[in-house]
Amino acid sequence: MSAVALQMTGAEVLKLRRKRGTLIWVLVLALVPVIVLFAVRAIQHSSDVHKYGPAGGTSAFIDGLRVLCLFFGPLAAILVGVEAGTGDASAGVFRDLVVTGRSRLALFASRVPAALALCWSVMILGYGLILAGTFGFASNLPTPDRALILNGLGFTLLATGVVCVVAVGFASLTTSKPAAITALIGWQLVASPLIANISSLGSARRGVLSQAIVHFSPVHTGGGGRGATVTMSQGTALAVMAAWVVVFLVLGAWRTRRMDA
């Protein structure tokens, strides 16, 4: 990456960090559910040690990974991606950036690594909380080995990173923050699980992004707690994720090139 590209990406990261309202909600979505999970398990254990086991261990790690990667992490990733995709248009500074002579495609391209940098920074914090709770409250329970820990981290970055990039492209296409957030969260929480449960759709369900992502989970997800899991090969899952990313990045770049300055 050239020095100019690094400067543009750094500027985008700074703009995202200055969006205090969005950043607070991203942190809340990524961190608070994990904290609540371990707090509830700890309270249950302390109230009845015979009925409830220790709050940590491998089972807690699995639950924490589900909460972060399949439920709240993607929602936080959507907020980051949408903010990155619509930030300039919402703030009314897109015209000012264009008249400086900067390439529209370069402006769009800088949004993606900036969004990923912020998204992954928060997700790593969330994953750190999972590990802290897993080992800190493990007592005599078995804990994840190094391979599972590394695979869990990789899945965390994959599950949220893909959604974040798609959100950047979709938000750049719509240029409307409320519309993009509503559509993406509606798709993530309502449409995707519904489609996955319609067996009559057959192999068409493999095109659902969340189903392709779940395929790479290092732990059993049981459909992510939101319905059926569609069986597919690793190659198909990779192709589905790549298609979602490429299509929405292309559409976002196209819209950015045609926007009125």
Side-chain angles (χ1 to χ4, degrees), residues 7-18 110 113-115 117-118:
Q7 291 176 355
M8 293 179 66
T9 299
E12 288 293 330
V13 172
L14 184 59
K15 285 190 289 186
L16 290 175
R17 289 176 57 188
R18 287 177 174 173
S110 65
L118 179 60

Side-chain angles (χ1 to χ4, degrees), residues 85 108 168-176 248 251-256:
F108 172 77
V168 172
F170 183 78
S172 298
L173 175 66
T174 63
T175 69
S176 169
F248 281 101
L251 289 174
W254 170 80
R255 182 69 176 91
T256 302

Side-chain angles (χ1 to χ4, degrees), residues 78-176:
I78 286 172
L79 292 185
V80 174
V82 169
E83 186 63 54
T86 62
D88 293 337
S90 298
V93 300
F94 183 74
R95 176 192 297 270
D96 297 333
L97 294 173
V98 171
V99 297
T100 62
R102 296 177 183 177
S103 165
R104 290 170 177 252
L105 286 180
L107 290 171
F108 172 77
S110 65
R111 298 170 183 170
V112 177
L116 284 176
L118 179 60
C119 176
W120 281 345
S121 296
V122 175
M123 294 308 150
I124 289 173
L125 286 176
Y127 192 71
L129 286 178
I130 293 175
L131 293 181
T134 296
F135 288 93
F137 297 112
S139 187
N140 59 344
L141 293 179
T143 54
D145 58 21
R146 181 178 300 180
L148 182 55
I149 291 173
L150 292 176
N151 288 334
L153 175 60
F155 181 62
T156 299
L157 299 181
L158 174 70
T160 56
V162 170
V163 172
C164 182
V165 172
V166 170
V168 172
F170 183 78
S172 298
L173 175 66
T174 63
T175 69
S176 169

